[in-house]
Protein backbone atom coordinates (compact mmCIF):
# COMPACT_ATOMS: atom_id res chain seq x y z
CA UNK A 1 0.00 0.00 0.00
CA UNK A 2 1.50 3.40 -0.94
CA UNK A 3 2.18 5.92 1.82
CA UNK A 4 1.13 9.10 0.00
CA UNK A 5 -2.47 10.18 0.65
CA UNK A 6 -3.21 10.95 -3.01
CA UNK A 7 -1.87 7.55 -4.09
CA UNK A 8 -3.95 5.84 -1.39
CA UNK A 9 -7.08 7.64 -2.61
CA UNK A 10 -6.37 6.75 -6.25
CA UNK A 11 -5.76 3.08 -5.45
CA UNK A 12 -8.71 2.81 -3.05
CA UNK A 13 -11.20 4.51 -5.37
CA UNK A 14 -9.96 2.53 -8.38
CA UNK A 15 -10.33 -0.76 -6.49
CA UNK A 16 -13.85 0.23 -5.40
CA UNK A 17 -14.79 1.13 -8.98
CA UNK A 18 -13.36 -2.17 -10.25
CA UNK A 19 -15.32 -4.17 -7.66
CA UNK A 20 -18.54 -2.29 -8.39
CA UNK A 21 -18.20 -2.70 -12.16
CA UNK A 22 -17.23 -6.38 -11.89
CA UNK A 23 -20.16 -7.15 -9.59
CA UNK A 24 -22.50 -5.15 -11.80
CA UNK A 25 -21.21 -6.95 -14.92
CA UNK A 26 -21.64 -10.38 -13.33
CA UNK A 27 -25.17 -9.55 -12.16
CA UNK A 28 -26.04 -8.12 -15.56
CA UNK A 29 -24.77 -11.24 -17.34
CA UNK A 30 -26.71 -13.52 -15.03
CA UNK A 31 -29.91 -11.52 -15.48
CA UNK A 32 -29.52 -11.40 -19.25
CA UNK A 33 -28.72 -15.11 -19.48
CA UNK A 34 -31.72 -15.95 -17.32
CA UNK A 35 -33.92 -13.68 -19.41
CA UNK A 36 -32.65 -15.31 -22.62
CA UNK A 37 -33.29 -18.78 -21.21
CA UNK A 38 -36.82 -17.83 -20.10
CA UNK A 39 -37.49 -16.38 -23.53
CA UNK A 40 -36.33 -19.60 -25.17
CA UNK A 41 -38.47 -21.68 -22.77
CA UNK A 42 -41.46 -19.56 -23.67
CA UNK A 43 -40.67 -20.02 -27.39
CA UNK A 44 -40.24 -23.78 -26.93
CA UNK A 45 -43.62 -23.99 -25.16
CA UNK A 46 -45.30 -22.00 -27.89
CA UNK A 47 -43.65 -24.16 -30.56
CA UNK A 48 -44.82 -27.36 -28.82
CA UNK A 49 -48.36 -26.07 -28.59
CA UNK A 50 -48.20 -24.99 -32.23
CA UNK A 51 -47.09 -28.49 -33.27
CA UNK A 52 -49.92 -29.99 -31.21
CA UNK A 53 -52.42 -27.67 -32.87
CA UNK A 54 -51.03 -28.31 -36.34
CA UNK A 55 -51.40 -32.08 -35.96
CA UNK A 56 -54.79 -31.94 -34.20
CA UNK A 57 -56.93 -32.66 -37.25
CA UNK A 58 -54.67 -35.41 -38.53
CA UNK A 59 -54.63 -37.09 -35.18
CA UNK A 60 -58.41 -36.72 -34.83
CA UNK A 61 -58.96 -38.41 -38.18
CA UNK A 62 -56.33 -40.99 -37.23
CA UNK A 63 -54.11 -39.92 -40.16
CA UNK A 64 -50.86 -40.59 -38.37
CA UNK A 65 -48.70 -40.36 -41.44
CA UNK A 66 -49.96 -36.81 -42.10
CA UNK A 67 -49.21 -35.81 -38.50
CA UNK A 68 -45.73 -37.34 -38.69
CA UNK A 69 -45.07 -35.46 -41.97
CA UNK A 70 -46.05 -32.17 -40.36
CA UNK A 71 -43.64 -32.81 -37.44
CA UNK A 72 -40.85 -33.84 -39.85
CA UNK A 73 -41.29 -30.59 -41.80
CA UNK A 74 -41.12 -28.54 -38.60
CA UNK A 75 -38.08 -30.50 -37.34
CA UNK A 76 -36.23 -29.68 -40.52
CA UNK A 77 -36.24 -25.98 -39.59
CA UNK A 78 -33.09 -24.45 -38.15
CA UNK A 79 -32.83 -24.67 -34.41
CA UNK A 80 -35.02 -27.78 -33.90
CA UNK A 81 -32.93 -30.83 -33.15
CA UNK A 82 -35.63 -33.44 -32.70
CA UNK A 83 -39.37 -33.99 -32.20
CA UNK A 84 -40.58 -37.11 -30.48
CA UNK A 85 -44.04 -38.41 -29.54
CA UNK A 86 -44.75 -40.86 -26.72
CA UNK A 87 -48.10 -42.59 -25.94
CA UNK A 88 -49.53 -42.62 -22.45
CA UNK A 89 -47.68 -45.89 -21.61
CA UNK A 90 -44.35 -44.19 -22.37
CA UNK A 91 -43.59 -45.95 -25.63
CA UNK A 92 -41.89 -43.97 -28.36
CA UNK A 93 -44.40 -43.70 -31.23
CA UNK A 94 -42.53 -41.29 -33.51
CA UNK A 95 -39.16 -39.51 -33.74
CA UNK A 96 -37.82 -37.14 -36.39
CA UNK A 97 -34.32 -38.40 -35.69
CA UNK A 98 -33.47 -41.53 -37.53
CA UNK A 99 -32.05 -44.30 -35.44
CA UNK A 100 -34.31 -43.79 -32.40
CA UNK A 101 -35.75 -47.18 -31.48
CA UNK A 102 -39.30 -47.76 -30.28
CA UNK A 103 -38.19 -47.78 -26.67
CA UNK A 104 -40.40 -47.79 -23.56
CA UNK A 105 -39.77 -45.04 -21.00
CA UNK A 106 -40.26 -45.57 -17.28
CA UNK A 107 -41.87 -42.96 -15.03
CA UNK A 108 -38.47 -42.03 -13.59
CA UNK A 109 -36.94 -41.17 -16.96
CA UNK A 110 -37.16 -38.08 -19.04
CA UNK A 111 -39.57 -36.94 -20.35
CA UNK A 112 -41.97 -38.76 -17.94
CA UNK A 113 -40.55 -37.59 -14.60
CA UNK A 114 -42.01 -34.10 -14.88
CA UNK A 115 -45.54 -35.52 -14.36
CA UNK A 116 -44.89 -38.92 -12.78
CA UNK A 117 -42.03 -37.93 -10.44
CA UNK A 118 -44.39 -37.46 -7.48
CA UNK A 119 -47.78 -38.71 -6.41
CA UNK A 120 -50.46 -38.01 -7.31
CA UNK A 121 -49.63 -37.84 -11.01
CA UNK A 122 -49.75 -34.29 -12.29
CA UNK A 123 -52.02 -33.47 -15.19
CA UNK A 124 -51.40 -29.75 -15.49
CA UNK A 125 -47.65 -28.82 -15.29
CA UNK A 126 -46.14 -25.34 -15.66
CA UNK A 127 -43.76 -24.80 -18.59
CA UNK A 128 -40.72 -24.28 -16.29
CA UNK A 129 -41.27 -27.76 -14.82
CA UNK A 130 -41.55 -29.35 -18.26
CA UNK A 131 -38.14 -28.13 -19.41
CA UNK A 132 -34.80 -29.89 -19.14
CA UNK A 133 -31.32 -29.04 -20.41
CA UNK A 134 -29.64 -32.00 -22.03
CA UNK A 135 -25.96 -32.33 -23.05
CA UNK A 136 -25.41 -34.70 -25.88
CA UNK A 137 -22.47 -36.98 -26.51
CA UNK A 138 -21.22 -34.52 -29.15
CA UNK A 139 -20.93 -31.79 -26.52
CA UNK A 140 -23.86 -29.76 -27.81
CA UNK A 141 -26.58 -28.60 -25.39
CA UNK A 142 -30.23 -28.75 -26.12
CA UNK A 143 -33.43 -27.55 -24.43
CA UNK A 144 -36.13 -30.23 -24.27
CA UNK A 145 -39.76 -29.14 -23.79
CA UNK A 146 -42.31 -31.80 -22.84
CA UNK A 147 -45.95 -30.94 -23.72
CA UNK A 148 -48.82 -33.22 -22.70
CA UNK A 149 -51.36 -34.23 -25.41
CA UNK A 150 -54.75 -34.07 -23.73
CA UNK A 151 -57.83 -36.22 -24.54
CA UNK A 152 -60.22 -33.51 -25.61
CA UNK A 153 -63.98 -33.99 -25.73
CA UNK A 154 -64.01 -33.82 -29.51
CA UNK A 155 -61.66 -36.78 -29.54
CA UNK A 156 -63.15 -38.95 -26.86
CA UNK A 157 -66.70 -38.61 -28.35
CA UNK A 158 -65.69 -39.36 -31.91
CA UNK A 159 -66.77 -42.68 -33.39
CA UNK A 160 -63.29 -43.57 -34.45
CA UNK A 161 -61.51 -42.73 -31.26
CA UNK A 162 -60.10 -45.55 -29.22
CA UNK A 163 -59.69 -43.73 -25.92
CA UNK A 164 -62.46 -43.34 -23.34
CA UNK A 165 -63.33 -39.95 -21.85
CA UNK A 166 -61.85 -40.83 -18.45
CA UNK A 167 -58.37 -40.89 -19.99
CA UNK A 168 -57.07 -37.33 -19.59
CA UNK A 169 -53.65 -37.57 -21.24
CA UNK A 170 -53.10 -39.46 -24.47
CA UNK A 171 -49.33 -38.95 -24.62
CA UNK A 172 -46.60 -36.30 -24.67
CA UNK A 173 -44.78 -34.34 -27.33
CA UNK A 174 -41.03 -33.88 -26.69
CA UNK A 175 -39.43 -31.04 -28.66
CA UNK A 176 -35.62 -30.61 -28.46
CA UNK A 177 -34.26 -27.16 -29.43
CA UNK A 178 -30.55 -26.45 -29.96
CA UNK A 179 -28.95 -24.07 -27.42
CA UNK A 180 -26.09 -23.11 -29.74
CA UNK A 181 -27.63 -19.73 -30.64
CA UNK A 182 -28.20 -19.04 -26.97
CA UNK A 183 -24.62 -19.96 -26.08
CA UNK A 184 -23.32 -17.77 -28.90
CA UNK A 185 -25.47 -14.88 -27.73
CA UNK A 186 -24.28 -15.42 -24.15
CA UNK A 187 -20.63 -15.42 -25.29
CA UNK A 188 -21.16 -12.24 -27.29
CA UNK A 189 -22.94 -10.63 -24.38
CA UNK A 190 -20.12 -11.67 -22.01
CA UNK A 191 -17.49 -10.25 -24.34
CA UNK A 192 -19.43 -7.02 -24.74
CA UNK A 193 -19.88 -6.73 -20.98
CA UNK A 194 -16.18 -7.38 -20.29
CA UNK A 195 -15.08 -4.79 -22.85
CA UNK A 196 -17.62 -2.25 -21.61
CA UNK A 197 -16.63 -2.85 -17.99
CA UNK A 198 -12.92 -2.58 -18.83
CA UNK A 199 -13.40 0.69 -20.70
CA UNK A 200 -15.56 2.06 -17.88
CA UNK A 201 -12.97 1.08 -15.28
CA UNK A 202 -10.14 2.60 -17.35
CA UNK A 203 -11.95 5.89 -17.96
CA UNK A 204 -13.04 6.09 -14.33
CA UNK A 205 -9.49 5.35 -13.09
CA UNK A 206 -8.06 8.06 -15.37
CA UNK A 207 -10.66 10.51 -14.10
CA UNK A 208 -9.95 9.56 -10.48
CA UNK A 209 -6.18 9.92 -11.05
CA UNK A 210 -6.38 13.42 -12.47
CA UNK A 211 -9.13 14.52 -10.10
CA UNK A 212 -7.25 13.38 -6.99
CA UNK A 213 -3.95 14.78 -8.29
CA UNK A 214 -5.52 18.12 -9.12
CA UNK A 215 -7.77 18.65 -6.12
CA UNK A 216 -5.93 16.64 -3.43
CA UNK A 217 -2.31 15.95 -4.40
CA UNK A 218 -1.33 19.46 -5.51
CA UNK A 219 -2.91 21.29 -2.51
CA UNK A 220 -1.41 18.81 -0.04
CA UNK A 221 2.04 19.11 -1.64
CA UNK A 222 1.86 22.90 -1.42
CA UNK A 223 0.65 22.63 2.17
CA UNK A 224 3.56 20.32 3.03
CA UNK A 225 6.03 22.74 1.45
CA UNK A 226 4.53 25.53 3.55
CA UNK A 227 4.78 23.50 6.76
CA UNK A 228 8.40 22.60 5.92
CA UNK A 229 9.12 26.31 5.60
CA UNK A 230 7.54 26.83 9.03
CA UNK A 231 9.63 23.99 10.47
CA UNK A 232 12.74 25.73 9.07
CA UNK A 233 11.57 28.85 10.94
CA UNK A 234 10.87 30.72 7.68
CA UNK A 235 7.90 32.51 9.18
CA UNK A 236 7.75 35.57 6.93
CA UNK A 237 5.80 34.01 4.04
CA UNK A 238 2.19 32.85 4.58
CA UNK A 239 1.08 29.44 3.31
CA UNK A 240 -0.89 29.51 0.04
CA UNK A 241 -2.36 26.65 -2.01
CA UNK A 242 -4.04 26.37 -5.41
CA UNK A 243 -7.20 24.40 -6.29
CA UNK A 244 -8.38 24.91 -2.75
CA UNK A 245 -11.53 23.60 -1.16
CA UNK A 246 -13.44 24.52 1.95
CA UNK A 247 -11.60 21.96 4.08
CA UNK A 248 -8.19 22.91 2.66
CA UNK A 249 -8.90 26.59 3.19
CA UNK A 250 -9.74 25.92 6.82
CA UNK A 251 -6.53 23.91 7.24
CA UNK A 252 -4.42 26.64 5.60
CA UNK A 253 -6.04 29.28 7.79
CA UNK A 254 -5.21 27.23 10.90
CA UNK A 255 -1.59 26.80 9.81
CA UNK A 256 -1.22 30.51 9.03
CA UNK A 257 -2.68 31.38 12.42
CA UNK A 258 -0.22 28.99 14.05
CA UNK A 259 2.61 30.53 11.97
CA UNK A 260 1.67 34.05 13.08
CA UNK A 261 1.51 33.00 16.72
CA UNK A 262 4.79 31.13 16.41
CA UNK A 263 6.44 34.17 14.85
CA UNK A 264 5.16 36.30 17.71
CA UNK A 265 6.40 33.76 20.25
CA UNK A 266 9.81 33.62 18.54
CA UNK A 267 10.06 37.41 18.64
CA UNK A 268 9.28 37.32 22.36
CA UNK A 269 11.78 34.52 22.90
CA UNK A 270 14.49 36.38 20.98
CA UNK A 271 13.84 39.51 22.98
CA UNK A 272 13.89 37.55 26.22
CA UNK A 273 17.04 35.68 25.15
CA UNK A 274 18.87 38.90 24.40
CA UNK A 275 17.77 40.31 27.75
CA UNK A 276 18.78 37.09 29.49
CA UNK A 277 22.18 37.04 27.80
CA UNK A 278 22.78 40.62 28.93
CA UNK A 279 21.79 39.71 32.48
CA UNK A 280 23.96 36.59 32.42
CA UNK A 281 26.90 38.62 31.14
CA UNK A 282 26.41 41.22 33.87
CA UNK A 283 26.05 38.56 36.53
CA UNK A 284 29.13 36.73 35.21
CA UNK A 285 31.17 39.90 35.55
CA UNK A 286 29.83 40.33 39.08
CA UNK A 287 30.71 36.72 39.93
CA UNK A 288 34.20 37.13 38.51
CA UNK A 289 34.68 40.25 40.58
CA UNK A 290 33.34 38.45 43.66
CA UNK A 291 35.66 35.50 42.98
CA UNK A 292 38.68 37.80 42.71
CA UNK A 293 37.64 39.50 45.91
CA UNK A 294 37.24 36.12 47.59
CA UNK A 295 40.70 35.09 46.41
CA UNK A 296 42.19 38.31 47.76
CA UNK A 297 40.40 37.91 51.11
CA UNK A 298 41.63 34.33 51.39
CA UNK A 299 45.14 35.55 50.62
CA UNK A 300 44.84 38.15 53.37
CA UNK A 301 43.60 35.45 55.76
CA UNK A 302 46.58 33.27 54.87
CA UNK A 303 48.87 36.26 55.24
CA UNK A 304 47.48 36.80 58.74
CA UNK A 305 48.23 33.18 59.63
CA UNK A 306 51.82 33.69 58.46
CA UNK A 307 52.36 36.94 60.38
CA UNK A 308 53.49 35.32 63.64
CA UNK A 309 55.65 32.80 61.80
CA UNK A 310 57.32 35.47 59.68
CA UNK A 311 57.83 37.71 62.70
CA UNK A 312 59.53 34.84 64.52
CA UNK A 313 61.65 34.01 61.49
CA UNK A 314 62.76 37.67 61.20
CA UNK A 315 63.26 38.10 64.96
CA UNK A 316 65.91 35.38 65.21
CA UNK A 317 68.34 36.77 62.60
CA UNK A 318 67.71 40.36 63.74
CA UNK A 319 68.57 39.39 67.32
CA UNK A 320 71.73 37.70 66.06
CA UNK A 321 72.67 40.81 64.09
CA UNK A 322 72.18 42.94 67.22
CA UNK A 323 74.40 40.68 69.30
CA UNK A 324 77.05 40.62 66.58
CA UNK A 325 76.92 44.41 66.31
CA UNK A 326 77.47 44.73 70.10
CA UNK A 327 80.44 42.37 69.87
CA UNK A 328 81.89 44.29 66.97
CA UNK A 329 81.38 47.55 68.89
CA UNK A 330 83.45 46.15 71.78
CA UNK A 331 86.22 45.04 69.45
CA UNK A 332 86.38 48.37 67.64
CA UNK A 333 88.75 50.87 69.43
CA UNK A 334 89.39 54.53 68.86
CA UNK A 335 92.33 53.72 66.66
CA UNK A 336 90.48 50.97 64.85
CA UNK A 337 90.33 47.21 65.11
CA UNK A 338 93.20 45.64 67.01
CA UNK A 339 95.24 43.40 64.78
CA UNK A 340 94.75 40.37 67.00
CA UNK A 341 90.93 40.75 66.80
CA UNK A 342 90.72 41.44 63.07
CA UNK A 343 89.80 37.82 62.28
CA UNK A 344 86.95 37.83 64.81
CA UNK A 345 85.72 41.16 63.53
CA UNK A 346 85.58 39.81 59.95
CA UNK A 347 83.85 36.64 61.15
CA UNK A 348 81.15 38.67 62.95
CA UNK A 349 80.76 40.92 59.92
CA UNK A 350 80.22 37.88 57.66
CA UNK A 351 77.61 36.49 60.05
CA UNK A 352 75.83 39.88 59.99
CA UNK A 353 75.75 39.75 56.18
CA UNK A 354 74.40 36.16 56.24
CA UNK A 355 71.61 36.90 58.74
CA UNK A 356 70.70 40.11 56.93
CA UNK A 357 70.41 38.18 53.63
CA UNK A 358 68.20 35.62 55.40
CA UNK A 359 65.88 38.42 56.56
CA UNK A 360 65.84 39.78 53.03
CA UNK A 361 64.78 36.42 51.59
CA UNK A 362 61.97 36.05 54.14
CA UNK A 363 60.68 39.54 53.46
CA UNK A 364 60.97 39.02 49.70
CA UNK A 365 58.92 35.79 49.87
CA UNK A 366 56.33 37.49 52.06
CA UNK A 367 56.07 40.43 49.66
CA UNK A 368 55.76 38.05 46.70
CA UNK A 369 52.87 36.26 48.44
CA UNK A 370 51.04 39.44 49.45
CA UNK A 371 51.63 41.42 46.27
CA UNK A 372 48.38 42.41 44.53
CA UNK A 373 49.63 42.04 40.98
CA UNK A 374 47.36 41.63 38.00
CA UNK A 375 46.45 37.90 37.61
CA UNK A 376 47.90 36.40 34.46
CA UNK A 377 49.15 33.07 33.22
CA UNK A 378 52.83 32.70 32.52
CA UNK A 379 55.18 29.74 32.18
CA UNK A 380 56.15 28.85 35.75
CA UNK A 381 58.27 26.30 37.59
CA UNK A 382 55.88 24.52 39.96
CA UNK A 383 58.78 23.14 42.06
CA UNK A 384 60.09 26.64 42.67
CA UNK A 385 56.62 27.83 43.74
CA UNK A 386 56.39 24.92 46.20
CA UNK A 387 59.82 25.61 47.71
CA UNK A 388 59.07 29.33 48.13
CA UNK A 389 55.74 28.56 49.81
CA UNK A 390 57.26 26.00 52.19
CA UNK A 391 59.85 28.62 53.22
CA UNK A 392 57.04 30.99 54.22
CA UNK A 393 55.19 28.28 56.13
CA UNK A 394 58.27 26.78 57.80
CA UNK A 395 57.66 28.28 61.25
CA UNK A 396 53.94 27.47 61.13
CA UNK A 397 54.80 23.86 60.32
CA UNK A 398 57.21 23.72 63.25
CA UNK A 399 54.49 24.97 65.58
CA UNK A 400 52.23 22.17 64.28
CA UNK A 401 55.05 19.67 64.93
CA UNK A 402 54.80 18.59 61.28
CA UNK A 403 57.65 17.24 59.20
CA UNK A 404 57.49 18.06 55.50
CA UNK A 405 59.05 15.82 52.87
CA UNK A 406 59.34 16.83 49.23
CA UNK A 407 59.79 14.82 46.06
CA UNK A 408 60.37 17.40 43.33
CA UNK A 409 62.01 16.01 40.17
CA UNK A 410 64.43 18.46 38.55
CA UNK A 411 63.19 17.74 35.01
CA UNK A 412 59.56 18.68 35.73
CA UNK A 413 58.10 20.61 32.74
CA UNK A 414 56.84 24.15 33.27
CA UNK A 415 53.12 24.83 33.62
CA UNK A 416 50.99 27.73 32.45
CA UNK A 417 49.60 29.34 35.60
CA UNK A 418 49.38 32.44 37.72
CA UNK A 419 52.30 31.93 40.17
CA UNK A 420 50.67 33.99 42.92
CA UNK A 421 47.41 32.02 42.77
CA UNK A 422 49.23 28.69 42.53
CA UNK A 423 51.29 29.66 45.62
CA UNK A 424 48.01 30.24 47.43
CA UNK A 425 46.86 26.70 46.43
CA UNK A 426 50.08 25.15 47.75
CA UNK A 427 49.95 27.13 51.00
CA UNK A 428 46.31 26.24 51.77
CA UNK A 429 46.81 22.53 51.03
CA UNK A 430 50.03 22.29 53.10
CA UNK A 431 48.60 24.20 56.10
CA UNK A 432 45.39 22.10 55.97
CA UNK A 433 47.49 18.93 55.90
CA UNK A 434 49.59 20.14 58.87
CA UNK A 435 46.47 20.97 60.91
CA UNK A 436 45.03 17.51 60.10
CA UNK A 437 48.10 15.84 61.69
CA UNK A 438 48.15 17.89 64.95
CA UNK A 439 45.97 15.44 66.87
CA UNK A 440 48.45 12.63 66.26
CA UNK A 441 51.64 14.56 67.03
CA UNK A 442 54.73 14.24 64.89
CA UNK A 443 52.71 14.30 61.70
CA UNK A 444 54.20 13.98 58.24
CA UNK A 445 53.29 15.79 55.04
CA UNK A 446 54.60 14.69 51.63
CA UNK A 447 54.59 17.11 48.71
CA UNK A 448 55.30 15.45 45.37
CA UNK A 449 55.20 16.53 41.72
CA UNK A 450 55.17 14.36 38.60
CA UNK A 451 54.11 14.25 34.97
CA UNK A 452 50.60 12.81 34.45
CA UNK A 453 50.07 9.57 32.55
CA UNK A 454 48.70 11.41 29.49
CA UNK A 455 51.98 13.44 29.22
CA UNK A 456 49.92 16.62 28.90
CA UNK A 457 49.61 17.69 32.54
CA UNK A 458 51.65 18.02 35.71
CA UNK A 459 50.33 16.63 38.99
CA UNK A 460 51.02 17.93 42.48
CA UNK A 461 50.20 15.59 45.38
CA UNK A 462 49.90 16.75 48.99
CA UNK A 463 49.66 13.70 51.27
CA UNK A 464 49.31 13.62 55.06
CA UNK A 465 48.99 10.94 57.73
CA UNK A 466 46.31 12.78 59.69
CA UNK A 467 42.82 11.84 60.74
CA UNK A 468 41.44 11.61 57.17
CA UNK A 469 38.07 12.74 55.88
CA UNK A 470 34.84 10.84 56.56
CA UNK A 471 33.06 9.42 53.47
CA UNK A 472 29.96 11.57 54.01
CA UNK A 473 32.09 14.74 53.89
CA UNK A 474 34.19 13.86 50.83
CA UNK A 475 31.57 15.14 48.39
CA UNK A 476 31.10 18.41 50.31
CA UNK A 477 34.63 19.59 51.18
CA UNK A 478 34.80 21.90 48.14
CA UNK A 479 31.44 23.54 48.91
CA UNK A 480 31.74 27.15 50.10
CA UNK A 481 31.41 27.62 53.89
CA UNK A 482 31.62 23.89 54.57
CA UNK A 483 34.12 23.02 57.31
CA UNK A 484 34.70 20.14 59.69
CA UNK A 485 36.93 22.24 61.97
CA UNK A 486 35.73 23.37 65.39
CA UNK A 487 33.88 26.67 65.57
CA UNK A 488 36.23 29.62 65.26
CA UNK A 489 38.93 27.58 63.49
CA UNK A 490 37.73 28.22 59.92
CA UNK A 491 34.89 29.49 57.74
CA UNK A 492 35.06 26.83 55.02
CA UNK A 493 36.35 28.96 52.14
CA UNK A 494 39.91 27.61 51.77
CA UNK A 495 39.16 24.51 49.69
CA UNK A 496 36.41 26.34 47.77
CA UNK A 497 38.96 28.99 46.77
CA UNK A 498 41.44 26.27 45.78
CA UNK A 499 38.78 24.57 43.65
CA UNK A 500 37.97 27.86 41.90
CA UNK A 501 41.65 28.58 41.17
CA UNK A 502 42.29 25.10 39.79
CA UNK A 503 39.17 25.23 37.59
CA UNK A 504 40.21 28.65 36.28
CA UNK A 505 43.53 27.09 35.21
CA UNK A 506 41.66 24.36 33.23
CA UNK A 507 42.84 21.86 35.82
CA UNK A 508 41.33 19.33 38.18
CA UNK A 509 41.56 18.61 41.89
CA UNK A 510 40.82 15.25 43.41
CA UNK A 511 40.94 13.89 46.96
CA UNK A 512 41.24 10.38 48.33
CA UNK A 513 41.04 9.65 52.01
CA UNK A 514 40.87 6.81 54.49
CA UNK A 515 39.61 7.65 57.97
CA UNK A 516 42.46 7.30 60.49
CA UNK A 517 45.17 7.02 57.81
CA UNK A 518 45.16 10.44 56.15
CA UNK A 519 44.22 12.14 52.88
CA UNK A 520 45.84 12.83 49.53
CA UNK A 521 44.94 15.88 47.42
CA UNK A 522 45.94 15.69 43.73
CA UNK A 523 46.06 18.91 41.69
CA UNK A 524 46.38 18.52 37.90
CA UNK A 525 47.55 21.53 35.86
CA UNK A 526 48.09 21.51 32.04
CA UNK A 527 51.64 21.91 30.81
CA UNK A 528 52.69 25.10 29.10
CA UNK A 529 52.67 23.41 25.64
CA UNK A 530 49.14 22.02 26.14
CA UNK A 531 47.49 25.34 27.03
CA UNK A 532 46.03 27.68 24.43
CA UNK A 533 46.67 31.40 24.99
CA UNK A 534 43.81 33.00 26.89
CA UNK A 535 42.85 36.53 27.75
CA UNK A 536 44.03 37.78 31.12
CA UNK A 537 41.46 37.72 33.92
CA UNK A 538 39.88 40.95 35.09
CA UNK A 539 41.59 43.14 37.67
CA UNK A 540 40.67 41.91 41.17
CA UNK A 541 38.25 44.01 43.15
CA UNK A 542 39.16 44.65 46.77
Amino acid sequence: MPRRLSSKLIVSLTVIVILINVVAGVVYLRVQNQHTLETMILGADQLSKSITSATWHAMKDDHRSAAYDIMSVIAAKQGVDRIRMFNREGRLMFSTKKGDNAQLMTVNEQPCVACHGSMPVKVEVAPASRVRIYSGTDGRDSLNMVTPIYNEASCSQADCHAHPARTRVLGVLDVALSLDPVRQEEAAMTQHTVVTTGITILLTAVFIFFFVRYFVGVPIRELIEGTHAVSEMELGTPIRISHSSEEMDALVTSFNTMRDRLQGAMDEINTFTQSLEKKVEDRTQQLKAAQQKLLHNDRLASLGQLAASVAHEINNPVSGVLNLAMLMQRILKDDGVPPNRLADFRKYLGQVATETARVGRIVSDLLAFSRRSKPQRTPADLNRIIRSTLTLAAHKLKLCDTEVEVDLPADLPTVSCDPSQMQQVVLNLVLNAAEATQSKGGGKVLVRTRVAADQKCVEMLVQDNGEGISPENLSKIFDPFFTSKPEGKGVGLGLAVIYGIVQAHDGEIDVKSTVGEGATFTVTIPMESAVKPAAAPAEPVV
Side-chain angles (χ1 to χ4, degrees), residues 54-66:
T55 58
W56 184 79
H57 289 287
M59 296 297 292
K60 178 181 178 182
D61 297 336
D62 198 21
H63 294 163
R64 298 187 178 187
S65 59

Side-chain angles (χ1 to χ4, degrees), residues 141-198:
D141 295 336
S142 61
L143 184 146
N144 292 33
M145 172 63 72
V146 177
T147 303
I149 301 176
Y150 295 104
N151 185 17
E152 298 180 1
S154 57
C155 293
S156 60
Q157 296 175 3
D159 297 336
C160 62
H161 206 278
H163 302 286
R166 64 178 180 274
T167 303
R168 295 291 306 279
V169 179
L170 301 179
V172 294
L173 183 68
D174 183 23
V175 179
L177 302 179
S178 175
L179 287 179
D180 290 344
V182 176
R183 299 304 184 209
Q184 294 175 359
E185 184 177 354
E186 288 178 352
M189 189 179 301
T190 301
Q191 182 179 3
H192 178 268
T193 303
V194 170
V195 172
T196 303
T197 302

Side-chain angles (χ1 to χ4, degrees), residues 9-46:
L9 286 175
I10 291 172
V11 172
S12 301
L13 293 176
T14 303
V15 170
I16 292 174
V17 169
I18 291 174
L19 292 177
I20 292 175
N21 280 272
V22 169
V23 172
V26 171
V27 172
Y28 173 76
L29 286 175
R30 289 185 177 180
V31 171
Q32 290 299 320
N33 292 340
Q34 183 65 28
H35 177 70
T36 302
L37 183 61
E38 290 176 354
T39 301
M40 190 169 183
I41 292 174
L42 179 61
D45 183 54
Q46 292 176 349

Side-chain angles (χ1 to χ4, degrees), residues 60 74 98-99 110 114 174 252 398 479 481 484 512 515:
K60 178 181 178 182
I74 295 175
K98 296 180 179 180
Q110 298 290 350
D174 183 23
V252 169
K398 290 179 182 178
D479 295 344
F481 304 107
S484 59
K512 295 181 180 179
V515 177

Side-chain angles (χ1 to χ4, degrees), residues 175-371:
V175 179
L177 302 179
S178 175
L179 287 179
D180 290 344
V182 176
R183 299 304 184 209
Q184 294 175 359
E185 184 177 354
E186 288 178 352
M189 189 179 301
T190 301
Q191 182 179 3
H192 178 268
T193 303
V194 170
V195 172
T196 303
T197 302
I199 294 175
T200 302
I201 291 173
L202 180 61
L203 294 177
T204 306
V206 171
F207 173 78
I208 291 173
F209 176 81
F210 286 102
F211 181 86
V212 172
R213 286 285 185 180
Y214 189 80
F215 290 103
V216 179
V218 174
I220 289 180
R221 184 173 64 253
E222 294 174 345
L223 184 61
I224 292 174
E225 292 175 355
T227 55
H228 283 171
V230 172
S231 66
E232 296 294 334
M233 304 310 294
E234 298 176 3
L235 306 178
T237 305
I239 300 175
R240 295 186 178 90
I241 61 173
S242 56
H243 319 311
S244 62
S245 60
E246 182 178 353
E247 293 79 3
M248 287 294 183
D249 288 340
L251 188 59
V252 169
T253 301
S254 299
F255 270 110
N256 283 328
T257 302
M258 179 182 67
R259 179 190 59 81
D260 294 337
R261 292 180 179 177
L262 182 59
Q263 186 173 13
M266 289 301 300
D267 292 340
E268 294 179 1
I269 291 175
N270 291 334
T271 303
F272 176 76
T273 301
Q274 294 175 358
S275 175
L276 183 60
E277 289 177 351
K278 183 65 171 58
K279 291 180 180 179
V280 170
E281 183 178 357
D282 294 342
R283 184 54 58 90
T284 301
Q285 295 299 328
Q286 294 176 7
L287 289 176
K288 288 182 178 179
Q291 182 185 20
Q292 294 299 328
K293 186 174 182 179
L294 180 62
L295 293 176
H296 182 65
N297 290 341
D298 186 71
R299 180 179 296 276
L300 292 179
S302 300
L303 187 61
Q305 293 182 20
L306 294 175
S309 176
V310 171
H312 181 78
E313 290 293 325
I314 294 176
N315 182 63
N316 290 338
V318 168
S319 298
V321 169
L322 179 59
N323 292 332
L324 291 171
M326 292 175 63
L327 290 174
M328 292 170 63
Q329 185 178 11
R330 292 177 183 178
I331 294 174
L332 186 61
K333 303 299 180 179
D334 292 338
D335 56 353
V337 179
N340 59 340
R341 301 295 303 273
L342 184 59
D344 293 335
F345 189 86
R346 288 180 177 176
K347 175 183 176 183
Y348 297 153
L349 189 60
Q351 290 179 348
V352 168
T354 301
E355 294 300 322
T356 304
R358 179 184 174 190
V359 172
R361 288 195 303 271
I362 294 173
V363 173
S364 177
D365 290 341
L366 184 61
L367 288 176
F369 180 79
S370 61
R371 186 179 297 116

